[in-house]
Amino acid sequence: MRKDTKGVIFIGDGMGGRPMAELDGTTTLEAQDTPALDRMAREGACGLMDPIAPGIPAGSDTAHMAILGYDPHRYYRGRGPFEAKGVGIDVMPGDVAFRCNFSTVEGRKVVDRRAGRIKEGTDQLTAAIHEQIPTIEDVEIIFEPSVEHRAALVLRGPGLSHEITEVDPHDPGVDYLESRPEEGAEDPEGAAKTARILNEFVRRAHEALDDHPVNEQRREAGEPPANIVLPRGAGTAVDLQPLHERYGLSAAMIVEVDLVRGLGQYLDMDVIHVDGATGGQDTDEIAIARAVVAALESHDFVLANIKCPDLGGHDGDCRAKMEAIAKVDRAVAHLLDNVDFSRTTVMITADHCTPCSVQDHSGDAVPIAFYGRGVRPDDVDSYGERACATGIMGHLRGMEIMDALTNMMGRAEKFGA
Ligand code: ZN
Ligand code: ZN
């Protein structure tokens, strides 16, 4: 088996789509001029991929899990643990984790879910929570702030479950909710305990924050006080084998989404920060591509993701999505010019489709192309939904990608004698 070959999975987030009447019946990927992506398809091995399974709209988190070879049906227990890992909490198996907002309430009514996008003072508010709510019953309370109004909460103790209903009503102008065990929970006792502790946490956080000096100042300045913490998206932390152990590949991740970054940290990948990678339309795609080239110097495997195609899809804005796809293409052009393809295999994909006509993720398959070392080229001559459907890789699932890639890298283990 080779030990000196490299692999890259390069993802345009939500880049796949459906035909649009306003684009003469083509998709955004087909309508946009993409010379670099097309070259990879023309000289590479193409196909389609169902991130999870046919017809299942994938979240970015579950899609990335599957593409990295971890079955989300088995391992996904909510996004909370990835969020918590993303803000630096050392999540342990059995923990129940949440993402949270500092919010503004009057009585039980949610006035502002983001507390005026509070920029300063959440450190002091967090300190008050640490001091006043270290534990509830036999459960340790771990709470850390992230950017602006965002934060993460971890409950650590025996007998907890994520099968509980939300506290955050997700809409302003209505009361926040009491968490309860989900109907049909597999562990009703654990769910009852977790809901009770979560409700108590929310009550005591409100007590700790309402009259806090930071909020007195905010009221005086006419800003909404950050006088409660509203958790959402409960998830149970599971034990995931680190990626380098699973595949024997030293691995790096270069992504713009906290949630996926948290997954990378969870899998013990080196999560690389890139200056200029904003996660928006203004992201510096060349800085991201340079970071991939640099990471290949010291790693066997790199997963990279450019977020912006997904944004245009959610907004139903074809033109914005096409501009974002052009960015992905420029990043891929940089890879074509700077990667040693005699020993590197690059796979191009989307993590799911975000069609402008749906304005959300759909369950359609995405086009894929493998380029470089070990590929068997086919007759596909451009990168797109229609063109790639005739390619040699046929129709794969996300869970099969790492096997296909490591085979081309010459690093797949023989099954049998
Ligand atoms: Zn995505
Ligand atoms: Zn999305």
Side-chain angles (χ1 to χ4, degrees):
M1 202 195 314
R2 297 281 299 252
K3 287 283 178 204
D4 59 342
T5 54
K6 313 266 179 180
V8 175
I9 295 179
F10 200 90
I11 296 173
D13 205 294
M15 189 161 64
R18 289 181 181 173
M20 301 289 293
E22 65 178 281
L23 300 175
D24 295 328
T26 62
T27 68
T28 45
L29 203 44
E30 291 166 343
Q32 175 61 41
D33 190 26
T34 52
L37 288 167
D38 291 346
R39 179 170 159 205
M40 285 215 169
R42 196 166 55 245
E43 297 172 17
C46 299
L48 293 178
M49 175 186 77
D50 289 304
I52 295 181
I56 307 293
S60 290
D61 46 5
T62 49
H64 280 78
M65 274 182 102
I67 291 167
L68 290 170
Y70 296 80
D71 183 357
H73 287 301
R74 187 163 161 206
Y75 295 115
Y76 187 73
R77 295 283 180 277
R79 64 189 288 175
F82 304 138
E83 299 273 358
K85 201 86 175 181
V87 306
I89 298 177
D90 197 11
V91 184
M92 304 199 323
D95 289 351
V96 174
F98 305 81
R99 55 190 183 136
C100 305
N101 279 2
F102 284 99
S103 307
T104 307
V105 290
E106 285 170 16
R108 286 190 70 91
K109 191 169 119 185
V110 179
V111 181
D112 186 340
R113 282 187 67 236
R114 301 180 182 89
R117 293 194 178 269
I118 181 169
K119 301 238 174 347
E120 285 169 16
T122 55
D123 286 359
Q124 289 116 287
L125 298 174
T126 297
I129 289 171
H130 288 172
E131 194 183 301
Q132 295 183 37
I133 327 174
T135 58
I136 296 173
E137 299 178 21
D138 57 355
V139 172
E140 189 185 344
I141 305 297
I142 304 164
F143 182 83
E144 291 301 331
S146 176
V147 283
E148 295 188 343
H149 54 278
R150 301 180 188 90
L153 168 70
V154 167
L155 306 181
R156 178 171 297 162
L160 299 174
S161 162
H162 68 282
E163 302 166 301
I164 57 172
T165 62
E166 294 278 48
V167 170
D168 184 342
H170 292 265
D171 293 307
V174 297
D175 288 0
Y176 65 89
L177 309 163
E178 285 279 313
S179 182
R180 291 185 311 277
E182 273 176 3
E183 260 174 62
E186 276 175 39
D187 174 12
E189 266 177 51
K193 175 178 176 179
T194 310
R196 183 173 74 237
I197 287 169
L198 188 68
N199 292 328
E200 179 70 3
F201 169 78
V202 171
R203 192 185 65 74
R204 286 172 62 180
H206 181 46
E207 257 176 32
L209 301 182
D210 201 26
D211 300 327
H212 193 283
V214 167
N215 283 328
E216 297 295 346
Q217 278 175 15
R218 289 182 67 80
R219 286 190 182 96
E220 275 168 33
E223 293 168 332
N227 63 352
I228 200 164
V229 171
L230 295 179
R232 65 185 190 280
T236 301
V238 294
D239 201 3
L240 290 181
Q241 187 183 24
L243 193 126
H244 54 80
E245 275 180 24
R246 178 152 188 170
Y247 297 106
L249 303 172
S250 58
M253 180 182 266
I254 298 166
V255 297
E256 300 183 291
V257 181
D258 283 344
L259 189 58
V260 179
R261 195 176 295 127
L263 171 66
Q265 281 159 339
Y266 218 99
L267 298 176
D268 203 22
M269 300 170 77
D270 286 333
V271 175
I272 294 171
H273 171 83
V274 178
D275 281 335
T278 62
Q281 291 283 5
D282 61 345
T283 199
D284 184 346
E285 70 276 12
I286 301 301
I288 292 170
R290 280 201 196 103
V292 172
V293 174
L296 282 171
E297 295 289 319
S298 49
H299 297 84
D300 301 320
F301 171 70
V302 180
L303 180 140
N305 176 316
I306 292 184
K307 171 69 180 168
C308 52
D310 184 53
L311 304 175
H314 281 286
D315 291 343
D317 185 341
C318 282
R319 296 296 152 186
K321 188 170 176 188
M322 286 169 64
E323 279 170 32
I325 289 169
K327 268 181 181 285
V328 174
D329 192 67
R330 285 193 288 273
V332 169
H334 185 87
L335 298 185
L336 279 170
D337 288 342
N338 292 281
V339 170
D340 173 6
F341 288 102
S342 68
R343 61 185 194 127
T344 308
T345 313
V346 172
M347 185 236 182
I348 303 290
T349 186
D351 55 341
H352 48 76
C353 292
T354 312
C356 292
S357 56
V358 178
Q359 298 192 16
D360 203 344
H361 305 182
S362 72
D364 305 300
V366 299
I368 58 174
F370 291 85
Y371 178 88
R373 189 189 192 282
V375 306
R376 298 193 300 175
D378 50 31
D379 292 333
V380 175
D381 61 3
S382 67
Y383 183 76
E385 290 81 353
R386 235 167 289 232
C388 288
T390 62
I392 194 169
M393 298 306 294
H395 210 126
L396 301 179
R397 293 195 185 195
M399 287 282 293
E400 296 169 319
I401 294 303
M402 283 301 286
D403 288 338
L405 183 70
T406 51
N407 171 54
M408 294 179 202
M409 291 164 68
R411 295 179 75 146
E413 269 181 52
K414 191 190 286 176
F415 178 41

